[in-house]
Amino acid sequence: MPPKLARRTTEMRPFLAMEVMERAFEMERAGENVIHLEIGEPDFPAHPAAANACIHAIESGETHYTDSRGLSALREAIADDHRRRFGVDVEPERIIVSNGTSPAMLLVFSLLVGEGDEVVLATPHYPCYPNFIRMSGGVPVLVPTDPAAGYAMDVEAVRRALTPRTRAIVVSSPANPTGAVQSEETLRGLASLGIPIISDEIYDGLLYDGAKVTSALQISDDAYVLDGFSKRYAMTGYRLGYAIVPLESVRAIQVMQQNLFISANCFVQHAGVAVLRDQGDALEEMLAAYTRRRRLLIDGLRELGFRLPVEPKGAFYVFADARAFDSDSLRLAFALLERAKVGTTPGIDFGESGEGWLRFAYANSEAAIEAALERLAAVLPTLR
Ligand SMILES: Cc1ncc(COP(=O)(O)O)c(C=O)c1O
């Protein structure tokens, strides 16, 4: 007799980028060559300071629990880093370090969202946000954004979506999958609505065409910033992230962290300190490569017949209208995987408004992107 599973797990939707990747791995195990443009994972090695710091920490016996909020050296380094990037003073006491941004997200949504509470977010959106909200018993309230307007969040539309049950507004800038960057004016407008902002700033630093990110903390203290080391420092597998929260929320988050995770990995936290202290030019080098790849992919996709109403300003994704080939994005992504051996993420992963679109990640080499475009050119005409 199968166990009766809790509704919060049966209602959770699969993360389709992962589903495509897992099928691609299966094909690779069977000897196929697949080009991965589906997953949001930098192909660069982790920041050079990370490995040595981690090894040194392990060899020095830094292998124990830490303060549940994180090592004070790391919280101070994160506060300094936020000041350096945004010119905002943040007390280290407001920072909670976690094993990746995702656990920080779980803590913040769990803190703010109860049964029947609502959270407003833009769509297309990072696939996991609604799942976190629903897991907390909440209801995601989606506000569409328009590619022709650069996916700017419409403050009036957000205002109309507010109800007495609204507990937070999610902002993601630069965003996954659109690469959109929200202007300071939009952030000010959203903050003026008087609802806490949850601001996912994990792609800050990966910016093009002179785009600049405004941190929610530059605008309001009533903000919960989510950030981490996965993208800016190519440290996905280290699992290191953090939340910066209003001072009065720290204690409740600390208690959750004590119970749910105890603390982030000690030696990985030491890697975080080293990376923040020794910025070097790893980010600039990655950015130069991303800039070339972005151009290659945008131009190549347009040539193939994908529609791109706006060019992404940040992150490492191109979100392209694929309806010229198929309006069912899941079917199209799997057809391209099976027939062209190119992994892409179906737009439906990012909400209904993404249906008919595909996300291409340029976290892969120029040679791989060129080869993927060639493979797509051979298969797409057969799909129209
Ligand atoms: C917008 C966004 N937030 C958070 C995350 C999770 O990052 P982490 O690896 O730090 O858990 C991702 C990962 O793709 C993301 O795209």
Side-chain angles (χ1 to χ4, degrees), residues 153-207:
M153 283 179 85
D154 177 346
V155 176
E156 281 317 305
V158 172
R159 188 197 301 278
R160 286 194 298 276
L162 301 182
T163 75
R165 297 304 304 263
T166 310
R167 293 291 173 268
I169 299 167
V170 176
V171 180
S172 181
S173 173
N176 173 5
T178 61
V181 173
Q182 300 298 324
S183 69
E184 181 178 337
E185 189 192 347
T186 298
L187 267 141
R188 284 198 186 283
L190 294 173
S192 74
L193 300 175
I195 304 284
I197 303 243
I198 299 177
S199 180
D200 186 340
E201 298 174 8
I202 191 168
Y203 290 103
D204 178 45
L206 304 180
L207 294 162

Side-chain angles (χ1 to χ4, degrees), residues 250-264:
V250 170
R251 178 67 185 148
I253 295 244
Q254 178 185 11
V255 169
M256 268 194 285
Q257 172 96 320
Q258 290 170 345
N259 280 278
L260 299 179
F261 305 113
I262 301 190
S263 73

Side-chain angles (χ1 to χ4, degrees), residues 15 39-41 98-105 125-129 132 172-177 200-203 226-231 235-237 239-242 315-317 359:
F15 194 171
I39 201 70
E41 162 143 42
S98 52
N99 278 329
T101 308
S102 309
M105 215 176 270
H125 55 75
Y126 176 54
C128 306
Y129 297 141
F132 279 111
S172 181
S173 173
N176 173 5
D200 186 340
E201 298 174 8
I202 191 168
Y203 290 103
L226 302 168
D227 206 338
F229 291 70
S230 287
K231 315 291 177 177
M235 286 171 62
T236 41
R239 310 306 302 131
L240 190 61
Y242 53 91
F316 39 56
Y317 306 109
R359 187 193 72 177

Side-chain angles (χ1 to χ4, degrees), residues 73 77 92 97 108 111 124 167 183-184 186 232-233 261 309-310 355 369:
V97 176
V108 167
L111 176 84
R167 293 291 173 268
S183 69
E184 181 178 337
T186 298
R232 219 162 25 251
Y233 304 111
F261 305 113
V310 63
E355 184 52 310
I369 292 169

Side-chain angles (χ1 to χ4, degrees), residues 4 73 117 149 183 256 267 339:
K4 189 158 169 30
D117 289 340
S183 69
M256 268 194 285
F267 41 87
R339 294 169 57 185

